[in-house]
Amino acid sequence: MSIHLTGNAEIDQQHELLDNSVGRLASFCVEADHNKAASCAGCSLARQKSCCSELATLAGELAAFLSGHSAYEEKMMELLPATPECLTHIKAHKAAHEGIARQLKKFSLQITETSARDVSLQIMRVVGDWLGDHCTLFDTHLVHLG
């Protein structure tokens, strides 16, 4: 994914780290390296359990990093003036943080109930899209408001 730079070095570095974490999801399934149509059903139960465990770890790391990213940005938002434009931005920005946290939690609960590969693809798509949209809609605007 191509990350849109905000002009804030800390936020841009966090976005790069988030993007790298999303990229790790693409390589956790060793079967998919040589078979793009690989499914968990073709793997042994031991392999499936191992993949579920690895995906849960990756999803947990991603959720923790996103939580830290949200906390950092929300501290930055405290520095904004209390204008209607800033207050509207802050409310929408915080809602975006809460929304991705809810989605990651939902995906994490699905890991043991659904194909780990399918869940990883969903996480990659949703978090990748969120990161691009979030950067463009919120973070660039946050940097310019401040």
Side-chain angles (χ1 to χ4, degrees):
M1 174 179 96
S2 174
I3 299 174
H4 176 78
L5 298 178
T6 65
N8 178 288
E10 182 70 24
I11 290 175
D12 290 343
Q13 182 180 28
Q14 289 178 17
H15 289 172
E16 185 177 344
L17 291 169
L18 284 167
D19 190 48
N20 289 339
S21 293
V22 171
R24 288 176 47 211
L25 291 168
S27 62
F28 98 97
C29 176
V30 295
E31 294 299 319
D33 287 341
H34 51 77
N35 177 8
K36 297 298 179 200
S39 74
C40 295
C43 291
S44 68
L45 288 177
R47 167 64 93 193
Q48 289 178 35
K49 187 174 181 176
S50 173
C51 286
C52 286
S53 176
E54 186 173 348
L55 180 57
T57 298
L58 288 171
E61 289 172 4
L62 187 57
F65 192 88
L66 276 166
S67 178
H69 176 69
S70 297
Y72 175 80
E73 287 185 349
E74 289 177 18
K75 282 293 183 191
M76 284 184 67
M77 288 183 241
E78 291 175 4
L79 302 173
L80 296 175
T83 64
E85 179 187 12
C86 288
L87 294 174
T88 299
H89 175 83
I90 290 167
K91 184 177 179 181
H93 201 147
K94 287 182 177 184
H97 289 164
E98 293 165 1
I100 194 64
R102 274 192 309 275
Q103 286 187 298
L104 277 174
K105 183 172 181 151
K106 180 184 90 174
F107 288 135
S108 292
L109 296 172
Q110 292 175 351
I111 291 173
T112 57
E113 300 168 2
T114 309
S115 155
R117 176 143 164 78
D118 291 345
V119 174
S120 73
L121 293 172
Q122 289 175 331
I123 293 172
M124 282 177 19
R125 181 184 49 77
V126 168
V127 175
D129 289 350
W130 179 88
L131 183 55
D133 292 345
H134 185 78
C135 182
T136 303
L137 298 173
F138 296 108
D139 293 346
T140 300
H141 193 60
L142 173 64
V143 169
H144 294 329
L145 284 173

